[in-house]
Amino acid sequence: MAKPKHDGLYVSISQVKCYLRCPRQFELKYIRGTPPAFVPVPLAFGSAFHAALAAFYGEVKASGAPLKRDLVLDVFRAEWSRALEGPVRLQVDEEDNTSTDTMVDKGVSMLHTFAEHAEAHLDGVVVESVEKSFSVAIHDPDTGEVMEEQLVGTMDLVVLDHDRRTVVEHKSSSKKYSADQLKFDIQPTGYKLAARQAGMGEVGLRFQICTKVKVPQMQVVDITRDAQDEDDFLRTAGGVLKAIDAGVSYPIRGWACRGCQFAHACRGASS
Amino acid sequence: MTNEEKKKIYQQLAAPFPEEAIERTDGRQTGRGYNTTGLKAQYVVDRLNAVLGIGGWRVHREVTVKESSTSSGRRSYEAVCDLILELGSFENGKFEVFAEALSYGGHVAMLDADARKGSASNALKRAAAMLGCGAAAYRGELDDDNIPAEHSSDGFTVSTLPTQRPAPAVVPQQPVHQAPQQPRPPPAPSRNRLTNKQLACIQAIGRKLGMDQAGLRAATKQRFNSQPEFLSRDQASQLISSMSAQANGNGHDAGEMPEPGVEG
């Protein structure tokens, strides 16, 4: 069970995405509190990669200069070791052409690519926050009814880029994001709404994606979300909450079951 | 414009609206305790455009917004819109008015923009009603008080501000056809998840009973097969009752959390 970091009822963008992906997984993970059988390697890798990027920008915020490359790599290695030694074992997707042994090399390669890009684009950029948590009210866009749940989450990075406040989301991905992914991902929409609610004003939104391919590449895209997107987001989040209320839970069978942390509890059992 | 022409316009403005123009709320969902019926603002705008034509009406409005907070400490915005609706036409770049109605509307929302929008919509609907357009809502045939409220469990209600019934319209009232009674759609299901207050209560009694978070989770899972945050309101009530009895020394082991009424 993911332990709540917040007081009171809340909903996170990850929870909404989880429910949309598979209501049964949501039920097992969040409602029943079923312990996961393993931690997927991409999840642990992403966490370690994020920690390294947070350290990089944390130093920019503190001193105005980026963290030295070897220290960035050290943060990644330390986080990865922690995941390997954690209480829940890591598991590689059988069809994924990786192993835990090769992940450090891959991470180092990706971090070099990231750092080269980031160091070259620091002019005119002021880091305001790294790993900025938020907890804001959400409402039904049709009725104005305020939800009991607060929308919670963490923005990877908030910068003033040539005086334009921008929320940056970091991703490590097996391939570049498609146009549809960039257009419809609800995560930045939630950030835009949360930023306004948190008094940050109208923010810009940016994905910084580092691909996990043999020769990693950076995909940096500024995206936009309008009022309609925000309404859609609120309808989606509200709809998910109402569906959970109504006890709607069903499995989505498919390729994702192979790497599901809760597959052991899914078939037949109710907990 | 002659009186006859004005009467004709009034009759067209006051014609019944289709069923899809009417929005209804369920009192159990809004926390008001009564059902309401009103008109959607866009249908009022559409009617004004259809009857008077583009440029055949205009509004002047002044919106004031006051920041306030709910009883649960959340920030909210309270907007009041003073509005003048003018009917007329542009002649040589100047708007010549032949009828006008003054009104105001209020709205409370969690976002500044929503509060402004809601107050302007309410004010327009009231002003239009003074000229016959949607007047049925204010005669009790419909009801404009249709803004749902936050669930009242934490004592906060999002609602329209206190309003007054519209003054008599500029144009003399004519008999208006009453919209035929339509069957009401079934109300949307209200939220069933426990409230913040219930969750806080469970956690507080749990602490009083010496239970840590893990212990509380384990006990809740054992009894309801659910984490505390996802209990239903009924389950939360049951849990609070049994935990309270336990905390008051009625003799059950905290982990058992017996059903209310079960002797220990």
Side-chain angles (χ1 to χ4, degrees), chain A residues 106 109-110 113 210-218:
Chain A
K106 184 172 277 189
S109 171
M110 288 170 65
T113 301
C210 191
T211 56
K212 285 190 276 187
V213 290
K214 199 168 183 180
V215 181
Q217 286 185 312
M218 287 300 294

Short mmCIF file of all heavy atoms in Angstrom, two decimals, chain A residues 106 109-110 113 210-218:
data_model
loop_
_atom_site.label_atom_id
_atom_site.label_comp_id
_atom_site.label_asym_id
_atom_site.label_seq_id
_atom_site.Cartn_x
_atom_site.Cartn_y
_atom_site.Cartn_z
N LYS A 106 23.00 2.12 -18.31
CA LYS A 106 21.99 2.85 -19.07
C LYS A 106 21.70 4.19 -18.40
O LYS A 106 21.62 5.23 -19.05
CB LYS A 106 20.72 2.01 -19.17
CG LYS A 106 19.66 2.66 -20.03
CD LYS A 106 18.49 1.73 -20.29
CE LYS A 106 18.78 0.79 -21.44
NZ LYS A 106 17.62 0.03 -21.86
N SER A 109 24.56 6.65 -18.94
CA SER A 109 24.52 7.17 -20.30
C SER A 109 23.42 8.23 -20.46
O SER A 109 23.63 9.29 -21.07
CB SER A 109 24.28 5.99 -21.25
OG SER A 109 24.05 6.45 -22.54
N MET A 110 22.26 7.93 -19.90
CA MET A 110 21.14 8.88 -20.01
C MET A 110 21.44 10.17 -19.25
O MET A 110 21.09 11.27 -19.72
CB MET A 110 19.86 8.24 -19.48
CG MET A 110 19.30 7.15 -20.39
SD MET A 110 17.98 6.21 -19.61
CE MET A 110 16.72 7.46 -19.40
N THR A 113 23.60 12.46 -21.21
CA THR A 113 22.82 13.13 -22.26
C THR A 113 21.99 14.26 -21.66
O THR A 113 21.93 15.38 -22.21
CB THR A 113 21.88 12.11 -22.95
OG1 THR A 113 22.69 11.09 -23.50
CG2 THR A 113 21.05 12.77 -24.04
N CYS A 210 13.93 11.89 -21.44
CA CYS A 210 15.20 11.27 -21.84
C CYS A 210 14.89 9.84 -22.25
O CYS A 210 14.31 9.08 -21.47
CB CYS A 210 16.21 11.31 -20.70
SG CYS A 210 17.87 10.86 -21.21
N THR A 211 15.26 9.48 -23.45
CA THR A 211 14.88 8.16 -23.95
C THR A 211 15.89 7.10 -23.50
O THR A 211 17.10 7.35 -23.46
CB THR A 211 14.79 8.15 -25.49
OG1 THR A 211 16.03 8.60 -26.02
CG2 THR A 211 13.67 9.06 -25.95
N LYS A 212 15.34 5.91 -23.22
CA LYS A 212 16.17 4.80 -22.74
C LYS A 212 16.60 3.93 -23.91
O LYS A 212 16.39 2.73 -23.91
CB LYS A 212 15.37 3.96 -21.74
CG LYS A 212 15.21 4.60 -20.37
CD LYS A 212 14.63 3.64 -19.36
CE LYS A 212 13.13 3.59 -19.44
NZ LYS A 212 12.50 2.81 -18.37
N VAL A 213 17.17 4.53 -24.90
CA VAL A 213 17.62 3.75 -26.05
C VAL A 213 19.16 3.67 -26.02
O VAL A 213 19.79 4.23 -25.12
CB VAL A 213 17.16 4.39 -27.38
CG1 VAL A 213 15.66 4.25 -27.54
CG2 VAL A 213 17.55 5.86 -27.45
N LYS A 214 19.72 2.97 -26.99
CA LYS A 214 21.17 2.74 -26.96
C LYS A 214 21.93 4.07 -26.90
O LYS A 214 22.85 4.24 -26.11
CB LYS A 214 21.57 1.95 -28.22
CG LYS A 214 22.90 1.27 -28.09
CD LYS A 214 23.09 0.28 -29.22
CE LYS A 214 24.40 -0.47 -29.04
NZ LYS A 214 24.61 -1.44 -30.15
N VAL A 215 21.50 4.98 -27.75
CA VAL A 215 22.06 6.34 -27.69
C VAL A 215 20.94 7.26 -27.21
O VAL A 215 20.08 7.65 -28.00
CB VAL A 215 22.57 6.80 -29.07
CG1 VAL A 215 23.17 8.20 -28.97
CG2 VAL A 215 23.60 5.81 -29.61
N PRO A 216 20.94 7.55 -25.91
CA PRO A 216 19.81 8.32 -25.36
C PRO A 216 19.68 9.68 -26.03
O PRO A 216 20.67 10.29 -26.46
CB PRO A 216 20.19 8.48 -23.88
CG PRO A 216 21.17 7.41 -23.61
CD PRO A 216 21.92 7.20 -24.88
N GLN A 217 18.44 10.15 -26.08
CA GLN A 217 18.17 11.47 -26.66
C GLN A 217 17.25 12.24 -25.74
O GLN A 217 16.44 11.65 -25.02
CB GLN A 217 17.47 11.31 -28.02
CG GLN A 217 18.39 10.86 -29.13
CD GLN A 217 17.65 10.86 -30.46
OE1 GLN A 217 16.54 10.35 -30.56
NE2 GLN A 217 18.28 11.43 -31.48
N MET A 218 17.38 13.55 -25.78
CA MET A 218 16.47 14.41 -25.02
C MET A 218 15.34 14.87 -25.94
O MET A 218 15.59 15.29 -27.07
CB MET A 218 17.20 15.64 -24.48
CG MET A 218 18.15 15.37 -23.33
SD MET A 218 17.37 14.66 -21.88
CE MET A 218 16.31 16.01 -21.37
#
